[in-house]
Amino acid sequence: MIRSEILRDMAPVLKDRLVVCNIGIPSQELHAIQDEPSNFYMLGTMGLASSIGLGLAVAQKKPVIVIDGDGSVLTNLGTLATIGNTHAPNFILLIIDNGSYGSTGDQPTYAGQRTSLAEVARACGTERVVECRGEDAGQALQRALEAGEKTVIVVKCDSGNAKMPVITMDPVTIRDRFMGAVQAE
Amino acid sequence: MSIDARIVDDLIANDISFVTTVPCKQLAGVIAEIDTRDAIRHVPCTKEDEGMGLCAGAFMGGKRPAIIMQNTALGVTVNTLATLIQYYRLPLPMLISYRGELREPVACQVEMAVHTKAILSQMNIPTYHFHRQSDADELDPILKYTFMCNKPVAILTDATFWGGYGDQ
Ligand SMILES: [Mg+2]
C-alpha cells in the first residue's frame, strides 16, 4: 500500500478533524482526495509539521492529527523529544513511513534501513506508540482519537507517489480558513 | 522591578500566552521568570526552527506566541522564517540574546554577531536593538507593532543591556 491509498482509506476518519499535513506530495495527495478548511497544508519548511501540530494541540482542546513522513521526521528528530515531554493528550502524530524521501524521487531514508522511528518515539518519552501496516492505519487513527491520549502512529508502507496537482491556494487563504475551522463550534 | 520581570510583564500585558525557548545565559532570568507565571505556557524546544513551528501552531490555535533564542541560531531559522512565518503571514516576536557584541568574552560568538543584522535586514525583518536598559521601554510598543502587522520582529538584546558577563 502506498501513501495515497492510505490517505484515501483514512479520509473518513480525517473528515472535519484538524489536520496538519506534511510538505510536498503528501499535502498534494490529501488536497486532491479530500480538501477541507480543517486541513493545514505545508507548502514549505520540511520537517515542521509535527511542531506546528504540537503547538496547535497545546493552544486549544480539539484533537490535532499530524500527517508526517519518515524523511521529514528525520530532519527534525528533536521534535520527538519535545512531544515526549509535553503534555498534549489531544495530539496524534501519524508518520507514513515508506522508507523513502517520496517528494524528491524516492531516495531511501534511514527509517527504511536500521532506524526505527517507533522505538525512537518511545525512547523520547511518548507512552502510546503504535506501529502498523498501511491497511490498519485508519483503524489505528480511530483508536487513537477514542483513547484521548497523546499518540504516535508509525505506518509502515511501500514507497510511491500518486500524480496530483500542485496546490496553488495562497498560504494566507490556507491559514485563514484553517483558523476558522479551529474556532468553529 | 528586575528587567526580567519587566520583560515578562510586557509579554503578559500583550496577551502572549505561549513561549518557546532555547536557553542562553543572558536570557536565563527571563526564562526563569516565565516559569513563575501561570499566564504563559512554556514549551522548551530542541532547536529554534522547531520552536518557530510550535509558535505557528500555537498562533493558529488562538494563543499569541513568542520565541526566546540566541542570535547564533538565526542561520538555522532562515528557511522557516521565509517559508512559514513570513509566507503564511504569522506574527512572531523573537526575543534574541545578541551574543558577540561589546563585552563578549568568547571570540567565536563574534562570527555570527557580524552576520546577525545583515541576515535580518536581508529578510526585511523589523529589528530593534536593546543596548541600554531604558531601551526596554519600547518592548510594549514593539509587541503591539508585531501583532498589528503579522510579521516576525527581532529584538536583539546585547551584553551591555544585560549588564555584562559578571566577572569577565
Ligand atoms: Mg517517506
Side-chain angles (χ1 to χ4, degrees), chain A residues 70-71 96 98-102:
Chain A
D70 52 317
I96 298 187
N98 57 8
S100 72
Y101 293 102

Side-chain angles (χ1 to χ4, degrees), chain B residues 103-117:
Chain B
R103 304 172 80 164
E104 173 65 57
V106 180
C108 189
Q109 295 283 5
V110 181
E111 298 303 316
M112 268 311 286
V114 299
H115 297 298
T116 297
K117 285 186 175 174

Side-chain angles (χ1 to χ4, degrees), chain A residues 24-35:
Chain A
I25 294 176
S27 271
Q28 292 170 16
E29 289 176 348
L30 179 63
H31 175 258
I33 291 166
Q34 179 169 275
D35 179 39

Side-chain angles (χ1 to χ4, degrees), chain A residues 3 69-72 96-103 106-107 109 159:
Chain A
R3 185 200 314 106
D70 52 317
S72 286
I96 298 187
D97 181 358
N98 57 8
S100 72
Y101 293 102
S103 297
D106 291 330
Q107 297 88 352
T109 68
S159 82

